[in-house]
Amino acid sequence: MVAAEALGLWLGFAWLVFELGTARPDSLSSALALIVLVGVLALWISATAIALARRIRWSRGSTITWQVLQTAIAFGASQGANANGTIALALFIPAALAFGIVVSRTGRSMFRLED
């Protein structure tokens, strides 16, 4: 699940770079800042996905943190003048599933975190 989220971020990063090359942004500095932010997030989540596969302990906390942030982004996507429920659900459902898995008893046992 986290690897799929990382792939989604990389696709978003590629799309933003493509858009910067083909369209004129209203604010170049904002466009560049968004590209850098999405790139950093993609690197972070990719590293987290690799660490999860290796069962490195810090990856659990990183996963929980990302799922909380992704949930906040999903709620933001569901509100306001440009609200989009489809995007909100596409962000919320994987976040809820990944969060549930990593905090479950099975998820805890994968990292040898006993009750």
Side-chain angles (χ1 to χ4, degrees):
M1 187 74 59
V2 176
E5 291 170 346
L7 177 61
L9 282 166
W10 283 116
L11 291 172
F13 175 79
W15 176 256
L16 289 170
V17 171
F18 173 76
E19 280 290 307
L20 183 63
T22 60
R24 185 169 182 262
D26 291 336
S27 170
L28 181 61
S29 59
S30 293
L32 291 173
L34 183 60
I35 288 171
V36 169
L37 176 64
V38 173
V40 168
L41 289 174
L43 286 171
W44 170 32
I45 303 309
S46 296
T48 299
I50 292 167
L52 276 172
R54 295 179 180 170
R55 295 185 182 175
I56 297 172
R57 293 184 93 168
W58 66 261
S59 63
R60 184 173 182 269
S62 180
T63 300
I64 291 169
T65 301
W66 173 245
Q67 302 317 317
V68 169
L69 289 173
Q70 187 169 317
T71 299
I73 295 167
F75 283 125
S78 69
Q79 300 173 7
N82 297 320
N84 189 323
T86 304
I87 290 175
L89 284 175
L91 290 169
F92 178 73
I93 291 171
L97 290 173
F99 183 85
I101 291 168
V102 82
V103 300
S104 71
R105 184 176 300 266
T106 304
R108 290 174 53 83
S109 68
M110 289 178 66
F111 294 93
R112 295 187 177 97
L113 298 171
E114 305 304 325
D115 289 330

